[in-house]
Amino acid sequence: MLDKEQLMQVLQRVPQEDFPVHSRVHRLNISDALAIECYVKREDELGSLLSGSKVRKARSLVAGLKKQGCKKVGLIGGQYSNHVLGLSSSS
């Protein structure tokens, strides 16, 4: 099993598209009452159309497609999904 440093080194070799990846983390007030530390990651701050796991997936997917020389791709999404709109607007 890889430790954190080894994993970071491996991940740095994976091509990534330039999408926002940093968002704030907030400590919840219930932490003191329950004697635990509880946090919420603000992935809504990564963008208005795509956030969280979609951004992380798209970063490597789009970079990989570009590396392979793809000029056109097909996107499939549901009728009320922002998936197609978000990806088509991001690069």
Side-chain angles (χ1 to χ4, degrees):
M1 182 182 242
L2 298 175
D3 66 20
K4 182 181 174 184
E5 290 300 318
Q6 292 170 321
L7 181 60
M8 294 297 289
Q9 290 173 1
V10 169
L11 291 175
Q12 287 173 352
R13 292 191 296 253
V14 175
Q16 300 285 310
E17 195 64 21
D18 187 25
F19 294 153
V21 294
H22 297 290
S23 60
R24 295 180 294 166
V25 175
H26 298 280
R27 187 171 193 258
L28 297 180
N29 292 335
I30 64 167
S31 300
D32 294 332
L34 299 176
I36 59 169
E37 291 188 28
C38 189
Y39 298 86
V40 173
K41 184 160 174 54
R42 291 289 309 272
E43 297 207 335
D44 60 311
E45 295 178 343
L46 295 177
S48 59
L49 298 174
L50 290 177
S51 64
S53 62
K54 294 275 188 201
V55 170
R56 288 187 288 276
K57 185 186 296 184
R59 288 187 73 218
S60 58
L61 178 63
V62 171
L65 292 170
K66 286 182 175 180
K67 186 176 179 180
Q68 292 178 26
C70 293
K71 299 294 181 196
K72 295 181 180 183
V73 297
L75 296 173
I76 300 172
Q79 183 176 359
Y80 301 106
S81 169
N82 285 338
H83 179 70
V84 173
L85 178 62
L87 283 176
S88 61
S89 303
S90 59
S91 57

